[in-house]
Amino acid sequence: MADSKKKILIVEDEKNIAQVLAFNLMQAGYDYEIASDGEEGLRKALKGNFDLILLDIMLPKMDGFTVCRGIRMRMDTPIIMVTAKEEDVDKILGLDLGADDYVTKPFSINVLLARIKANLRRSANEVVTGDSKSDTVLKIRDLVIDNEKYQVTKAGVMIALSKIEYDLLSFLAANQGKPFKREELLESVWGYKEFFGDKRTVDVTVSRLRNKIEADPTHPEYIFSKHGYGYYLA
Ligand code: CA
């Protein structure tokens, strides 16, 4: 049984927080390992075969942003950034770091566990991406979304998307023309069931996606905003 446990890496230099996290992860049925600085975090992440990584930002030796980039160059393991500073949230969202999610300190352990669960579920591709899931290749004018190869091309040119950008695009494309509220997207794409994530996550992911797929991101031709409601693809 122990082998089927999901293994989580906690990268956190504050001993008390690391221990509280470790205790709660253990209670929730996860295995864990702790790294107490950025370098150790990166080293362990790269060779540890973890299912998910909790990554603090303010760390000795190497900050969480650098660790995140370092991990992303090599692997897709879901990363949840943990931050105490509001400015960091903008940075996490704005930079294309490849982090999958973030929580802000102080966080409730239930919220964190829900986020962990959602990210593990998403990484296992268990999130249903709309009614037309059987359509493995979706074509919207120049844009081709190949759900079998997990590839997006525009006019034949490959577009590099992060996993969440891909999931969002694929979900909207599978439900073309139908507007979704941010809460609905957080639930369907991010996989948050009970605890809603930050709606800004949706806005910033949409904006990054537009920068990658739209000819002019300020006048989108694919992903539209429905004022006071949410987003749709047409
Ligand atoms: Ca810290």
Side-chain angles (χ1 to χ4, degrees):
M1 271 312 280
D3 289 358
S4 64
K5 276 192 184 175
K6 299 279 186 197
K7 202 168 154 200
I8 297 175
L9 177 63
I10 303 165
V11 189
E12 172 65 76
D13 59 316
E14 286 163 72
K15 276 212 169 75
N16 293 341
I17 297 182
Q19 274 162 11
V20 169
L21 287 172
F23 175 77
N24 282 282
L25 290 178
M26 197 182 69
Q27 292 283 90
Y30 298 109
D31 267 341
Y32 67 87
E33 235 176 86
I34 296 173
S36 51
D37 66 59
E39 278 175 15
E40 187 190 355
L42 181 58
R43 197 173 60 240
K44 284 195 166 163
L46 292 180
K47 67 171 190 193
N49 206 17
F50 292 97
D51 296 290
L52 185 138
I53 296 160
L54 286 177
L55 180 57
D56 186 32
I57 291 177
M58 298 270 284
L59 291 164
K61 294 189 186 170
M62 187 187 279
D63 71 33
F65 296 117
T66 313
V67 177
C68 185
R69 282 210 183 87
I71 297 170
R72 264 301 160 270
M73 283 197 281
R74 304 272 293 277
M75 49 181 66
D76 295 331
T77 315
I79 299 173
I80 301 180
M81 307 280 281
V82 181
T83 174
K85 288 196 298 184
E86 192 62 19
E87 308 96 85
D88 284 343
V89 173
D90 299 330
K91 219 169 155 189
I92 296 167
L93 292 172
L95 297 173
D96 208 347
L97 283 175
D100 297 87
D101 204 351
Y102 67 91
V103 290
T104 46
K105 289 177 186 172
F107 47 80
S108 110
I109 202 74
N110 284 334
V111 168
L112 181 68
L113 289 173
R115 297 290 185 86
I116 289 173
K117 225 171 149 183
N119 279 278
L120 286 171
R121 193 167 47 227
R122 199 167 72 226
S123 115
N125 283 319
E126 285 169 17
V127 172
V128 179
T129 50
D131 301 334
S132 14
K133 209 183 177 226
S134 52
D135 296 344
T136 50
V137 179
L138 299 166
K139 271 187 89 168
I140 307 112
R141 301 185 300 279
D142 277 356
L143 200 64
V144 179
I145 304 161
D146 188 330
N147 283 320
E148 211 154 86
K149 295 185 197 152
Y150 285 96
Q151 263 179 15
V152 175
T153 56
K154 193 183 173 191
V157 179
M158 182 101 86
I159 299 176
L161 298 180
S162 72
K163 181 146 180 15
I164 194 64
E165 290 161 2
Y166 179 90
D167 288 347
L168 177 63
L169 179 64
S170 171
F171 178 81
L172 290 173
N175 297 281
Q176 255 181 81
K178 183 174 187 292
F180 291 93
K181 292 182 188 163
R182 290 167 178 83
E183 293 91 331
E184 293 173 323
L185 292 172
L186 284 170
E187 191 169 328
S188 301
V189 179
W190 275 258
Y192 298 148
K193 298 285 181 209
E194 289 164 69
F195 303 91
F196 286 142
D198 186 340
K199 290 182 205 172
R200 269 185 307 170
T201 308
V202 177
D203 296 332
V204 178
T205 309
V206 165
S207 134
R208 280 209 314 259
L209 199 46
R210 278 176 175 156
N211 283 332
K212 292 182 179 181
I213 67 168
E214 303 282 0
D216 176 2
T218 56
H219 297 96
E221 295 170 327
Y222 290 97
I223 300 175
F224 295 91
S225 308
K226 189 170 170 178
H227 188 66
Y229 193 84
Y231 298 102
Y232 65 101
L233 189 142

